[in-house]
């Protein structure tokens, strides 16, 4: 049930952000019809265009895998307020994030662990 509610809220928020042009056109994650793959393809096209022009291309790789776990909730709330989301939604998200904990469990399968661990 939680995943369904999350999806509904995400879709509404995404539509709101698109309607008011809050999301930059270069944003690929969390937007409709865009993903890490479209981002990679856009990047590849830009690199090849620069190389075809004879320009040098420098690339820096960053790993943001854990960054979303560290987003300060107060700052996130203020940014959402600035995007003019409704007060009820802001309160709901604040309550949903408050004192939140996550646990991952791995179930044993006869003689094997998931992920190939033994």
């Amino acid at each position: 049930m939680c995943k369904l509610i999350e999806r509904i809220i995400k879709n509404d928020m995404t539509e709101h952000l698109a309607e008011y042009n809050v999301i930059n056109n270069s944003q690929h994650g969390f937007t409709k019809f865009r993903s890490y793959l479209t981002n990679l393809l856009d990047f590849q096209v830009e690199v090849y265009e620069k190389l075809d022009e004879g320009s040098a291309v420098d690339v820096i790789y960053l790993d943001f895998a854990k960054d979303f776990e560290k987003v300060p909730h107060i700052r996130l709330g203020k940014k959402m307020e600035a995007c003019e989301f409704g007060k009820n939604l802001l309160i709901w998200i604040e309550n949903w994030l408050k004192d939140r904990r996550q646990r991952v469990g791995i179930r044993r399968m006869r003689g094997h662990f998931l992920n190939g661990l033994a």
Side-chain angles (χ1 to χ4, degrees):
M1 195 65 172
C2 286
K3 289 292 181 188
L4 177 63
I5 292 170
E6 287 175 26
R7 183 176 295 161
I8 291 168
I9 290 173
K10 178 200 164 265
N11 290 341
D12 286 349
M13 291 175 70
T14 303
E15 285 178 22
H16 174 86
L17 294 171
E19 182 180 339
Y20 293 99
N21 295 319
V22 175
I23 296 178
N24 189 311
N25 197 30
S26 65
Q27 174 71 32
H28 284 263
F30 309 106
T31 58
K32 205 175 219 177
F33 307 116
R34 290 182 169 209
S35 66
Y36 73 93
L37 185 56
T38 58
N39 188 13
L40 181 61
L41 291 171
D42 280 357
F43 170 75
Q44 185 177 12
V45 167
E46 189 171 336
V47 167
Y48 283 127
E49 285 174 354
K50 295 294 180 193
L51 291 174
D52 285 345
E53 295 170 2
S55 300
V57 176
D58 295 324
V59 178
I60 299 172
Y61 292 93
L62 302 172
D63 181 8
F64 293 113
K66 302 255 181 204
D67 284 355
F68 291 107
E69 297 171 8
K70 299 175 183 175
V71 172
H73 296 162
I74 293 171
R75 186 181 310 158
L76 177 63
K78 288 182 180 182
K79 286 187 181 260
M80 290 178 66
E81 249 180 75
C83 292
E84 299 182 10
F85 285 107
K87 190 71 172 167
N88 288 337
L89 177 62
L90 294 174
I91 291 169
W92 185 88
I93 290 175
E94 181 181 321
N95 288 332
W96 184 69
L97 291 172
K98 190 168 144 185
D99 300 323
R100 185 179 169 105
R101 293 184 182 160
Q102 183 175 358
R103 181 176 67 177
V104 176
I106 299 176
R107 183 179 61 153
R108 279 190 196 201
M109 298 174 68
R110 294 186 182 205
H112 301 289
F113 286 103
L114 294 178
N115 298 328
L117 299 175

